[in-house]
């Protein structure tokens, strides 16, 4: 995904600090939302690709999906990431997606990144 993101930013002459990337995060509990101005990929392949294309100064909106039980190994992680949530988890994810959309709307309305982070990084 880094190639198309890079081309889009260059083609539209958008500075990378205006980029917002919304992605799943195994290290956050299901439904948890966390906004960060910087950081590594944390094992998230899409973010790895973006970073590999030299795009490093962007806002990350991380949506928690929790980790599967440790006894399943890598296959369990892949199945978990690509699989379906339990009904309760799905509802938590819908709430988190709504909160993520509201955070992005705040940014589009000119609210500073720090203020958006202070507002939306709190648990729902």
């Amino acid at each position: 995904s880094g190639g198309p993101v890079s081309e889009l930013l260059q083609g539209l002459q958008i500075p990378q600090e205006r980029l917002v990337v919304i992605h799943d995060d195994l290290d956050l509990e299901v439904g948890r939302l966390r906004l960060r101005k910087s950081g590594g990929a944390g094992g998230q392949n899409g973010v790895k690709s973006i970073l590999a294309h030299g795009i490093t100064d962007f806002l990350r909106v991380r949506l928690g999906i929790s980790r599967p039980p440790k006894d399943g190994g890598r296959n369990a992680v892949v199945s978990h990431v690509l699989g379906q949530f339990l009904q309760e988890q799905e509802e938590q994810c819908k709430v988190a997606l709504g909160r993520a959309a509201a955070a992005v709307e705040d940014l589009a309305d000119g609210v500073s990144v720090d203020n958006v982070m202070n507002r939306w990084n709190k648990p729902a």
Side-chain angles (χ1 to χ4, degrees), residues 13 15 19 27 32-34 56 64 66-67 76-77 81-82 93 96 99 105 111 122:
Q13 298 179 345
L19 176 65
D27 293 325
R32 182 83 162 101
L33 180 71
R34 171 104 20 99
T56 58
S66 297
R67 285 195 178 270
V77 171
V81 169
L82 300 177
C93 288
R99 294 179 75 231
E105 286 177 11
V111 179
K122 298 174 186 170

Side-chain angles (χ1 to χ4, degrees), residues 31-67:
R32 182 83 162 101
L33 180 71
R34 171 104 20 99
L35 287 80
R36 294 195 49 173
K37 288 194 257 187
S38 63
Q44 215 288 339
N45 290 329
V47 175
K48 276 184 200 173
S49 178
I50 291 169
L51 293 170
H53 281 82
I55 303 167
T56 58
D57 188 20
F58 60 93
L59 183 67
R60 294 133 169 93
V61 179
R62 301 165 48 206
L63 298 171
I65 62 169
S66 297
R67 285 195 178 270

Side-chain angles (χ1 to χ4, degrees), residues 7-97:
E7 289 176 21
L8 180 68
L9 292 178
Q10 290 175 5
L12 297 176
Q13 298 179 345
I14 299 171
Q16 58 179 268
E17 60 270 6
R18 298 283 299 158
L19 176 65
V20 178
V21 175
I22 301 172
H23 64 88
D24 59 354
D25 192 313
L26 289 164
D27 293 325
L28 293 175
E29 63 189 63
V30 171
R32 182 83 162 101
L33 180 71
R34 171 104 20 99
L35 287 80
R36 294 195 49 173
K37 288 194 257 187
S38 63
Q44 215 288 339
N45 290 329
V47 175
K48 276 184 200 173
S49 178
I50 291 169
L51 293 170
H53 281 82
I55 303 167
T56 58
D57 188 20
F58 60 93
L59 183 67
R60 294 133 169 93
V61 179
R62 301 165 48 206
L63 298 171
I65 62 169
S66 297
R67 285 195 178 270
K70 292 186 184 243
D71 58 353
R74 176 162 168 67
N75 288 338
V77 171
V78 171
S79 293
H80 178 71
V81 169
L82 300 177
Q84 292 188 346
F85 290 105
L86 300 173
Q87 186 172 354
E88 177 185 327
Q89 293 171 323
E90 191 170 323
E91 292 303 317
Q92 292 171 314
C93 288
K94 285 180 184 178
V95 170
L97 283 170

